[in-house]
Amino acid sequence: MYLPRQLGSLHDLPDTPEAYDAVLADVVEQALARITPEGNLEHPDCVDDIGDTSLGITSLLALAWHRTKDPRLPEAVRRSTDFHLRERVYTDDNPGYPNLRVRNSGYPYARYTLAPGAHPIGDWPSTVWALLQAVNLLDLADGLLDEEQTDAVREMARGYWRWLTQATFFNPQDAANQAIGCVVGGLMLARHLPRHDAQGMRNGARALYASMIQRNQVWDRGAPLPPEHGGAYDNNYGPISLSFLAQAHRVTRSEVFSQDGEALAHYLDARLTTGGFDFGGPRYSEQHSGFESVLGLRYFGHRIGADLGRYRGDTLWGRHAVKPDGGVDGHFAWMLVWQIQDTTPWHRTPSTRPSRHQLRAGGVSVAFDSKMTPSLIEADGTYHLPAAVDRQHGFGPVVDGFLLCRPMGETRVRDVRADGLTAKLVTKPVVTRDHVLRHVQSLYVTDGTRLWTTVAVERLPGEPYLLAGLPYLSDDGDGLRRIADAEVTSAGDLRLTHPAAEGPEFFDARADTTQELAAFALAADPRGYGNPDEGWSHLVASTAIEATPAPGAPDDLNVFAVRYGGSGEVFDPVFTRTPEGLKVRTEAFTAVIGDPAGDERGEPTLTLRA
């Protein structure tokens, strides 16, 4: 089976003016064929996320007219604008909406679902989206809307802002992408207001950003992040937040948005594999966004000098939202407008900036979590997740069922590049189940094609082994194919194990399921509202690659040596004790891992040569 949403890298989609004109031409033809006598441009199958969609198509038609002057478009823009003003603006409270601060305010809002009382919880983000569609239309109104229509759209947008910021609690779903989107809407609306009102609007939007978004940032892997549905980062919403930060910076040139956007971009670059796959999040784990991410990835990738466009998006939504029949949907249409208006080019080469939480060279990458345990290993077009044993997750030595990867002190990291090789040494103090302190030193070396992992620890009792990952995906054309085995070689014995028990808490890689589906099955809340990251943490056991200690290591050490990739090549590493530390010699390199006590600053040393 294949992952249904993570397809091609987003920077592979053509983004020339001619390509965007072709996209708009397709939208125009679909819209003109669809528009009803009343001016409705909604997809006929649209039920949820509907409150902003007709207006979104209207804004795309307005943009197309400015680029082509197609004589068919002004009448369609005016008629569809009137439809939204007449049929899709609600001022009576939606029955059951739980987040009101003021009842019967009379302020306009947009509904997630048109039926009264049907899923009203989605009205806050739907109103943000409608605000953004409205301000885009105001930006494009010249030559299309008459003065009366323009005034009506402006007043509607002001009413949306009041409803979002006065009549309801701000950001009730704790979703930073929605909150930043609201701030962007206020900043863009300010450009259409008289000077005094405009400054008040800007001040209010900036104050909301500082108090409700920045103040609530959460930290992961050393980076301050906008929180998404209660978590640090979400693979769907995180890049969307990046796009909102890009637009906020485009509108204001304010350093606060560039700094926060660059911090998020560096974080994303570190956690993202070379092949563009990533997983995890408090709302969506593997359902990556598409066109909604392009602006942020392209804009901030260029600013930080990183190839963020390698991100595998949902290319079914590569240009705009679509329904299952392939027909255009106006949801999130402002993102297509903004990415067409922005001419920032993709930065297509990897960042040269060293990253504590990533090792990357060529087609190999290791992303590390905040505890410097690999969260994702990629080599030879294959992706490995942390395996699970007895409710413990990670990569590392296992002794008597206890996984040694959780640090009980400062974790030291040393990065080295030499002779075309890239290496990272991670030294962790860990405590065994019987409270004995051990120093686990993990060396990761790559030549851009293969990855060598050497793990050394003071000799352990019993029959220890290295938990070396859960084989999960492989590149296959424009998709990612689920796998249950991988090309891995060990200096000791190697085995692939699968859970003996059945149930959602046991992940067998041979089953036709995905990490996301398994995680939602273990989450406390329904799919779409639960937390896949939290659900996955409840996994008891998984398919796992296990490697026994390598022969010939010094008597006082257990050394595990595993190579990912390099099919058919000899792998027979040699380990010797030297005054400088543990010498590791493989077919491709010689490395010396310094004593865990480190140098005069307590930092373990590493030397490397081909």
Side-chain angles (χ1 to χ4, degrees), residues 52-107:
D52 68 301
T53 60
S54 182
L55 194 61
I57 298 293
T58 303
S59 70
L60 291 174
L61 298 184
L63 178 62
W65 182 79
H66 278 282
R67 293 170 72 90
T68 66
K69 294 299 187 288
D70 186 330
R72 300 173 297 168
L73 296 180
E75 192 273 337
V77 168
R78 295 170 190 138
R79 183 148 51 102
S80 58
T81 299
D82 283 339
F83 168 79
H84 183 85
L85 291 167
R86 184 179 65 249
E87 302 290 343
R88 293 296 179 259
V89 179
Y90 296 84
T91 55
D92 295 334
D93 294 350
N94 198 351
Y97 184 70
N99 300 314
L100 291 176
R101 300 172 63 192
V102 178
R103 292 192 60 192
N104 302 314
S105 68
Y107 294 146

Side-chain angles (χ1 to χ4, degrees), residues 22 44 60 86 165 169 302 325 411 521 560 590:
L60 291 174
R86 184 179 65 249
T165 60
F169 287 95
H302 184 79
D325 66 357
T411 298
F560 307 89
T590 298

Side-chain angles (χ1 to χ4, degrees), residues 6 10 176-178 180 225-228 232-247 260-261 264-265 267-269 271-272 276-282 284-301 308-314 332 334-335 338-339 346:
Q6 292 195 48
L10 290 175
N177 75 98
Q178 300 171 8
I180 303 172
L225 306 174
E228 290 296 344
Y233 179 80
D234 184 279
N235 276 312
N236 183 280
Y237 290 135
I240 294 175
S241 283
L242 193 65
S243 287
F244 282 133
L245 289 169
Q247 181 65 6
D260 287 356
L264 178 54
Y267 169 85
L268 193 154
D269 186 38
R271 67 174 289 148
L272 196 61
F277 169 68
D278 190 18
F279 77 102
Y284 295 102
S285 190
E286 293 176 333
Q287 296 186 50
H288 283 211
S289 49
F291 77 101
E292 315 101 292
S293 304
V294 167
L295 176 66
L297 296 171
R298 193 172 66 191
Y299 189 85
F300 281 109
L308 298 185
R310 69 188 190 274
Y311 178 97
R312 282 185 186 261
D314 181 357
F332 270 51
W334 68 85
M335 286 292 193
W338 297 342
Q339 66 168 278
W346 285 111

Side-chain angles (χ1 to χ4, degrees), residues 39 74 82 194 209 222 231 283 401 546:
D82 283 339
Y209 185 77
R283 183 72 181 274
E546 301 174 355

Side-chain angles (χ1 to χ4, degrees), residues 11 268-276 305-311 347-355 357-368 378 415-417 420-424 444-449 451:
H11 63 199
L268 193 154
D269 186 38
R271 67 174 289 148
L272 196 61
T273 58
T274 297
D307 55 336
L308 298 185
R310 69 188 190 274
Y311 178 97
H347 184 93
R348 295 181 178 274
T349 56
S351 170
T352 57
R353 178 181 188 252
S355 173
H357 294 94
Q358 185 194 61
L359 172 74
R360 181 183 175 195
V364 173
S365 59
V366 184
F368 296 86
E378 170 195 20
D415 287 283
V416 172
R417 294 188 180 187
L421 300 169
T422 304
K424 187 183 293 284
Y444 306 88
V445 180
T446 181
D447 61 357
T449 302
L451 173 70

